[in-house]
Amino acid sequence: MKTKLLLLSAISALMFVSSCSSDDDTITPSIPELEALELSNCSSGIAEGETLILENRNNGVDYIINCTYPVNGDLIIDPGVTIQFGTDATIRVYNSGSIQALGTAQNKVVFTGEDKVPGSWKGLYIISSDVKNKIEYATIEYAGAVGDDGAILLWSDTHLKMNNTNITNSQTYGLHANTNNNELILENNTITACKAPMYLDASYVSAISNGSYTGNNTDAIIVDRGFIDEDHTWTKLNVPYHFPNGVDVVAGGNLTVMPGVIMKFGQDSRLFINEGASGPKPSIIAVGTAAEPIVFTSIDNVMSAWRGIYFDSPNALNEIGFATIENASNPDQEGAIETWYGTVLNVHDVTFKDIQNCAIHQYKFPADPDTLTRSNLTYINVANAFCQN
């Protein structure tokens, strides 16, 4: 009898639920998660003119790549997709191809290594000028195997917009781009636990805005010696810029350095504003504020570690103000600031510190007008404030 009563109670409950449900109610069946799919067509990859869309298949690894996967068409990666790479695997985006990793703040695209150790896979290699190239709201981790030298490695004539992306645990650099004619937009990215955040040609420094770049072996944007021959603006980041081999502002170049920027120079290097034989005269405007001075110093914090700033330009825009210049001047450059004949320069509100020879050294013929303006300068441990030939 007890069993029958329990059965009737159960039937009654079911009837009650059914009577309370409308005919329009539908039950959505759960969608089973799919196993990770290996992209194994490594000889052909994505052909020119083709498009491959990688969709989110599950809550774990969606796709596996164990080779050098060539992209000659369009690769589109949806939000939430995770791609796992085997040892030395990589995606290579060639001239006719493009990559769009389109994550969101809630559903990032993840590129990761199977072994979960720095350098376990090569990274993303992009050789494409396609304006569709975009990486946003992504995580790139455990890449940068030695030899390719970057979790993202860009070759000449590449276009890339990368924003809100986290690069971490690269065995080498987070981003490596020191070849010619790239077009980059780098906004609000975070690079940490890498050899250094970025290794860039000097012409790409102005592509960086905001972001965080601490927690690396070297907390600095490393700038390969390059030539500034257009209008560029370098902004303050939460790490300094390192110039191991210096940098040149040449004909047609106009460099603006914003308040708070820290520029550190390698042994015997210099910042050279060089008019050359022809072309528009180059200039530098490096004007900080009292609260946020611009700092020109050395990577090695010792006296005479770098040459200094050398001017050979009659451009009336040349100005250095509210700045600190330290550890400059050595046997190859007598002045921490050195000006060649005819240079026009306004130097004001600058502190010279730990200068072995001259704070300012001017080359000038006695009969020539003085085109060097100096005001409100401070000298700390400086051998000579001003020298003239």
Side-chain angles (χ1 to χ4, degrees):
M1 180 64 69
K2 185 176 181 180
T3 301
K4 289 182 180 180
L5 288 173
L6 289 173
L7 180 60
L8 288 171
S9 298
I11 293 172
S12 299
L14 287 172
M15 290 176 67
F16 176 76
V17 170
S18 298
S19 66
C20 293
S21 300
S22 68
D23 294 337
D24 294 333
D25 289 343
T26 57
I27 299 175
T28 303
S30 61
I31 300 175
E33 291 193 351
L34 302 175
E35 293 184 358
L37 175 66
E38 182 173 357
L39 303 182
S40 57
N41 54 331
C42 299
S43 58
S44 56
I46 306 172
E48 185 174 351
E50 293 183 350
T51 298
L52 175 63
I53 301 175
L54 299 184
E55 299 177 333
N56 192 348
R57 297 169 60 85
N58 55 53
N59 291 318
V61 174
D62 299 288
Y63 302 91
I64 296 172
I65 295 177
N66 288 313
C67 62
T68 296
Y69 190 79
V71 176
N72 290 289
D74 295 325
L75 174 60
I76 301 173
I77 306 170
D78 281 351
V81 167
T82 295
I83 304 175
Q84 175 182 285
F85 293 82
T87 302
D88 288 336
T90 181
I91 290 175
R92 289 199 170 206
V93 184
Y94 291 100
N95 290 330
S96 60
S98 71
I99 182 170
Q100 299 177 66
L102 306 177
T104 67
Q106 294 74 32
N107 292 289
K108 292 190 175 183
V109 171
V110 177
F111 302 89
T112 190
E114 178 183 8
D115 296 333
K116 299 293 186 292
V117 295
S120 65
W121 62 291
K122 290 185 177 180
L124 305 178
Y125 189 99
I126 306 176
I127 323 168
S128 164
S129 60
D130 197 314
V131 296
K132 295 192 297 294
N133 289 325
K134 181 186 293 185
I135 300 173
E136 59 184 3
Y137 289 103
T139 294
I140 304 170
E141 57 186 13
Y142 304 114
V146 173
D148 288 287
D149 291 339
I152 298 179
L153 179 63
L154 306 180
W155 200 242
S156 299
D157 302 304
T158 289
H159 178 96
L160 177 63
K161 180 177 182 179
M162 182 172 72
N163 63 81
N164 299 290
T165 289
N166 181 29
I167 301 176
T168 183
N169 285 291
S170 170
Q171 188 176 14
T172 52
Y173 303 104
L175 174 69
H176 187 154
N178 71 324
T179 50
N180 298 324
N181 301 320
N182 291 327
E183 295 180 353
L184 307 180
I185 302 172
L186 308 171
E187 300 174 334
N188 300 312
N189 299 299
T190 298
I191 304 179
T192 189
C194 301
K195 178 179 180 180
M198 300 184 195
Y199 186 92
L200 302 177
D201 182 86
S203 60
Y204 307 141
V205 171
S206 57
I208 309 170
S209 61
N210 301 319
S212 178
Y213 307 100
T214 59
N216 301 279
N217 292 345
T218 298
D219 281 338
I221 306 299
I222 299 178
V223 184
D224 191 20
R225 183 163 189 167
F227 299 96
I228 303 299
D229 57 5
E230 297 177 330
D231 292 345
H232 286 263
T233 298
W234 293 353
T235 59
K236 176 186 175 182
L237 301 175
N238 68 338
V239 296
Y241 299 98
H242 280 192
F243 300 87
N245 301 303
V247 64
D248 293 1
V249 184
V250 297
N254 297 287
L255 176 61
T256 300
V257 184
M258 298 300 289
V261 166
I262 300 174
M263 302 171 64
K264 295 188 175 186
F265 291 83
Q267 285 287 335
D268 202 37
S269 67
R270 64 180 174 178
L271 171 56
F272 189 11
I273 296 83
N274 180 18
E275 70 170 327
S278 62
K281 306 309 179 185
S283 69
I284 181 172
I285 302 173
V287 181
T289 66
E292 289 191 303
I294 296 167
V295 177
F296 301 90
T297 187
S298 59
I299 296 173
D300 299 325
N301 189 26
V302 295
M303 288 186 68
S304 300
W306 64 297
R307 296 187 191 185
I309 307 172
Y310 192 100
F311 283 88
D312 181 8
S313 169
N315 194 317
L317 295 176
N318 288 324
E319 181 179 4
I320 298 179
F322 292 100
T324 296
I325 303 174
E326 59 185 14
N327 297 330
S329 86
N330 63 20
D332 293 313
Q333 181 170 313
E334 190 171 349
I337 292 179
E338 190 148 293
T339 64
W340 193 242
Y341 299 98
T343 287
V344 178
L345 174 62
N346 180 13
V347 184
H348 62 91
D349 301 285
V350 173
T351 296
F352 294 88
K353 181 181 177 183
D354 295 332
I355 306 300
Q356 184 176 19
N357 297 311
C358 304
I360 298 176
H361 179 222
Q362 181 189 35
Y363 286 96
K364 177 184 174 297
F365 292 115
D368 287 347
D370 194 351
T371 54
L372 173 63
T373 302
R374 297 171 288 149
S375 62
N376 199 28
L377 304 182
T378 301
Y379 307 99
I380 302 173
N381 192 27
V382 173
N384 297 285
F386 181 72
C387 307
Q388 189 180 77
N389 281 34

